[in-house]
Amino acid sequence: MSANGTNGISPALRRRRIVVRACLVALYFAVGAWVLLNGREHTLLLDNKALADGSAPAFRRVKVYVDRHDPIELYARDRDMIKVRGQGHKIRIETNEGAERLEASFRLAFGEDMFLVSVPAMAKGDDGFCEVFKTADEAPRAEPSADEATPEPTF
Amino acid sequence: MTKRFDFKRFVADNVVVVIFLVLTAIATPISGLSANYIIQDIITRIGRNSFLVFSLILPVMAGMGLNFGMVLGAMAGEIGLIFAVDWGISGVWGLGFASLVGLPIAVALGWLCGSILNRAKGREMATGYIIGFFMDGVYQFAVLYLMGSLIPMRSLAITLSRGYGIRNTLNLDSVRQSLDNLAMVKVFGFNVPVATYLVVGALCVFIVWFRKTKLGQDMRAIGQDQGVSNASGIPVEKTRIIAIVVSTVLAMVGQIIFLQNMGNMATYNAHRQTGFFAVAAILVGGASVTKATIPNVFVGVVLLHLMYIVMPRAGAELFGSAQIGEYFRDAFSYGAIALALVLHAWRKRRGVEIDRAGLRRNTVSPDAKGGQA
């Protein structure tokens, strides 16, 4: 070992080693982020129910294509599930009934697991056709109101 | 001058392989399993297990014996898979994510294991085995208490109902057989997981290439004589640590490949027998504590798993209980390890005795030592 504690390695070589190692660490995180974003799986619930405000009825029969998955056939009031990977997706419908829009692109939030896709809303041209869906276990419990709060025990 | 083939010598050199061949040759017709069933199962098991077994080659090359400490890599792979499932990363992406998460853990554990083994030279196998038990306790603490409390977990499906800790069995549906099914090809009626085989093939190429590199040559030199290697300027301790780190990383990837094929994971037990089965396979394939080659891996995986497939059924046919067959296969697997270790010690001692006798007569015939150690 040399007196200056550099193990006999020239400063240029040491600098190059540090740069190479820093690049490897950066590459590791970049690949990690790429895998994380592209591999994230989301569940889509394809919903063929009339909108609550009555502005779009359910299709009697509609074929729904999501990305390159096999098509899913839905009848009125049907709901089906499909799993997709990544955040950007395309949905396309085939129907004999009238629709203002047959194809749309949408993005999913990375942190959410499940989304409800309303097919009638998408066909109507509504951009908010895809919304986050929480199961009963995941949904935050509402604080009981003052009226519902447990009454003080009386003796 | 051509050497005559000596049958007795050949059997003595390959006694473990011969014993397994004889056993499976007897058990296969008794089991009554069809050739198609056995071949399909063997094809699946080669893809599932061989990567794990390959992780043993480099430490043998570096003279560190069979790396029972590979279970550390298996644990790293399992932690990677837990996070892949928790984050909902599916398919081959999930396997990649698990590998990326497991990589720094495997490197750190491999470095720790290598450093400890450097302080226990000559007793690497027993030390590695005990390190495996020790780290199993640390793993259980991390997975049972830290995950969900100190380490945030997203998924309610994998955490215990108390709110922290991972469930006993992890469902790997999101990554199940994703590598196998990436390119499943039917060849003569058999499903061959081509992608998995390509990964294993790439590892074979890596090992062949690695042996020719400076580092690979250093490892081989250290495996032959540490004192001479040290005197000739090879950093013995550092090279031994690198051998263990690479072995641990390969074991991590191997465990991920193994578990994606199985489709579920016994969170607290899956890694415990990994080292034992991998060591049994490579020894059954004809490897020894000082010499392991790529063909040893394939021969070992085929023979050991052929026995695993046919023995329970043979036991059921012979004794009316498949459990007897299970006992047989366990006994023979442990027996293979014991026999290989005893043979190694015996050959080593015989070599020393022959060397001594040769020195007295001032002549040593290399053939007299019994070939490979």
Side-chain angles (χ1 to χ4, degrees), chain B residues 2 9 32 37 65-66 75 102 122 130 138-139 179 184 190 217 225 229 238 256 274 278 288 296 303 337 348 369:
Chain B
T2 53
R9 175 77 180 280
Y37 176 85
L66 299 159
M75 289 176 210
I130 299 304
V138 177
Y139 169 87
L179 183 63
M184 189 67 87
F190 299 109
Q217 296 289 344
D225 196 314
S229 306
K238 187 181 162 195
I256 291 171
T274 304
S288 72
N296 290 150
L303 278 180
I337 295 180
K348 206 171 163 185
K369 291 185 190 177

Side-chain angles (χ1 to χ4, degrees), chain B residues 6-67:
Chain B
D6 184 349
F7 181 73
K8 272 171 74 179
R9 175 77 180 280
F10 176 79
V11 172
D13 283 347
N14 299 285
V15 65
V16 183
V17 184
V18 172
I19 288 173
F20 265 75
L21 265 175
V22 172
L23 277 173
T24 45
I26 294 168
T28 304
I30 296 171
S31 72
L33 293 169
S34 70
N36 279 359
Y37 176 85
I38 293 173
I39 293 169
Q40 181 60 67
D41 219 355
I42 287 288
I43 289 171
T44 309
R45 284 166 184 253
I46 290 174
R48 182 200 296 166
N49 292 284
S50 44
F51 204 107
L52 270 172
V53 184
F54 270 117
S55 69
L56 295 170
I57 288 185
L58 290 191
V60 170
M61 215 163 89
M64 302 177 82
L66 299 159
N67 181 21

